[in-house]
Amino acid sequence: MRSNRVLTAVDSHTEGMPTRVITGGVGVIPGATMNEKRLYFIEHLDDIRLFLMNEPRGHAAMSGAILQPSTRDDADWGVVYIEVSGCLPMCGHGTIGVATVLVETGMVEVVEPVTTIRLDTPAGLVIARVAVSDGHADSVTIENVPSYVVRLDDTIEVPGLGTVPYSLAFGGNFYAMVDLDAVGLPFDRSHQQEILSAGLAIMQAINETAPPRHPTIDGVDHCHHVEFIAPGSDAALSRHAMAIYPGWFDRSPCGTGTSARMAELWARGELPLDTDFVNESFIGSRFVGRLVAETTVDGVPAVIPTITGRAWVTGMGQYLLDPSDPFPTGFQF
């Protein structure tokens, strides 16, 4: 058996969304910070992302995380997040998957009833508290990076849709939040292609006319997520369909999207600190969020969110590249 690439991984899913946790074969990515590593990876090593995320090893909604040594003295592990859309600064479901894998494989010292793991991510320090019983990771609560609103009740002109009301918030990635009623679509998976097409059109309009830019994280300057809010959603229970570039839905309730949604509700005065908020995905899985503190990002009011969810290990494997393979970086179909 010939192979000029061997990567080891532990696969998991977080409330329905996969995370392929890469444990070996990549080496140490250059960079003094985790975001510098992310930017270096984008420029020089993106073939690894394509190799792992694309078919035939991945699929159109694949997601992953590459473990790295931390660049910070106060963190246990570093993480570079990968998915079919690119390299994210932060991924909530992926962090829950990473923390679960670290406990389940014994890659961290496991303490019951709670194992605390400090993760160095491109967006900043994220703390994962894993509820453990009999050595099993039962659930994970992540304390996310500061989240804040960029635009509240703005509008954008979208070809084919007209004037679309939306809000834009950061929860580790930028999210446009749009009421499904505003685009005349039902919260129904039988209409998923129409919802996805609307989401991609809204992303394109935002990125062409009013792209966001994070003030302190280099290279975070676009919106690749539209959180379509279902009718009847409020600050206690919100349901959504999360459309993601280049054309898929998040199966999980989306941790950074939940953070952005809570920041929006807080900015409206609807969600106070220390109050449970349930966010439900398009497939019915749920995260429980809470806002635990107020802060600022470059002078802008912000909040610190926590997200609680579950992940399960689904497999372990080695991913190989035969030098004669005509699709060395896979393909999208």
Side-chain angles (χ1 to χ4, degrees):
M1 181 173 60
R2 298 178 301 169
S3 179
N4 58 10
R5 171 171 284 166
V6 181
L7 299 178
T8 59
V10 180
D11 285 358
S12 66
H13 82 84
T14 302
E15 304 291 353
M17 187 66 195
T19 307
R20 176 164 291 159
V21 182
I22 309 307
T23 57
V26 174
V28 178
I29 302 169
T33 68
M34 204 52 59
N35 195 49
E36 286 185 12
K37 290 179 182 290
R38 181 182 77 94
L39 296 174
Y40 182 94
F41 187 96
I42 290 170
E43 185 173 354
H44 300 286
L45 300 172
D46 199 48
D47 60 306
I48 296 175
R49 176 185 68 86
L50 298 172
F51 169 79
L52 290 165
M53 300 292 100
N54 282 346
E55 295 185 55
R57 297 167 190 85
H59 51 75
M62 194 64 194
S63 182
I66 300 172
L67 294 180
Q68 288 285 291
S70 173
T71 65
R72 309 169 55 120
D73 293 335
D74 60 350
D76 303 302
W77 284 92
V79 187
V80 171
Y81 300 99
I82 57 176
E83 62 178 34
V84 291
S85 66
C87 292
L88 304 180
M90 174 54 192
C91 178
H93 94 267
T95 302
I96 292 171
V98 164
T100 298
V101 166
L102 289 173
V103 167
E104 293 284 347
T105 59
M107 295 178 71
V108 294
E109 181 181 357
V110 179
V111 178
E112 298 189 18
V114 177
T115 297
T116 299
I117 307 170
R118 299 171 67 86
L119 295 170
D120 181 9
T121 83
L125 181 67
V126 174
I127 301 172
R129 297 178 175 92
V130 187
V132 183
S133 62
D134 297 326
H136 180 261
D138 297 328
S139 67
V140 181
T141 297
I142 62 171
E143 184 177 315
N144 198 12
V145 297
S147 303
Y148 65 97
V149 169
V150 180
R151 301 165 198 151
L152 197 64
D153 297 326
D154 204 347
T155 60
I156 190 155
E157 295 300 317
V158 181
L161 297 175
T163 302
V164 176
Y166 78 107
S167 295
L168 188 73
F170 179 84
N173 300 285
F174 285 111
Y175 290 84
M177 279 154 285
V178 178
D179 287 340
L180 266 171
D181 283 347
V183 292
L185 292 169
F187 187 67
D188 188 328
R189 283 164 60 186
S190 67
H191 291 265
Q192 60 183 281
Q193 192 54 54
E194 298 159 83
I195 296 171
L196 188 58
S197 296
L200 293 173
I202 292 167
M203 292 175 214
Q204 183 175 350
I206 291 172
N207 291 326
E208 288 180 351
T209 63
R213 182 179 297 274
H214 197 281
T216 63
I217 307 173
D218 290 342
V220 182
D221 53 8
H222 55 265
C223 175
H224 276 176
H225 300 77
V226 175
E227 190 166 351
F228 284 107
I229 310 300
S233 296
D234 56 26
L237 170 62
S238 185
R239 300 183 302 152
H240 69 275
M242 182 68 74
I244 304 177
Y245 176 88
W248 52 285
F249 287 102
D250 199 328
R251 276 68 168 157
S252 83
C254 190
T256 52
T258 299
S259 298
R261 175 72 164 136
M262 288 194 292
E264 179 216 11
L265 292 167
W266 173 78
R268 296 184 185 281
E270 297 177 13
L271 182 62
L273 298 185
D274 301 314
T275 304
D276 279 354
F277 166 74
V278 177
N279 207 20
E280 183 176 301
S281 75
F282 212 9
I283 69 168
S285 56
R286 292 182 171 188
F287 284 157
V288 178
R290 287 174 74 89
L291 301 176
V292 298
E294 297 179 4
T295 185
T296 60
V297 174
D298 197 38
V300 176
V303 284
I304 302 295
T306 65
I307 307 294
T308 300
R310 303 166 299 170
W312 298 266
V313 172
T314 58
M316 303 177 71
Q318 293 181 319
Y319 294 93
L320 311 177
L321 177 60
D322 187 306
S324 67
D325 190 334
F327 304 108
T329 56
F331 55 88
Q332 295 182 9
F333 192 80

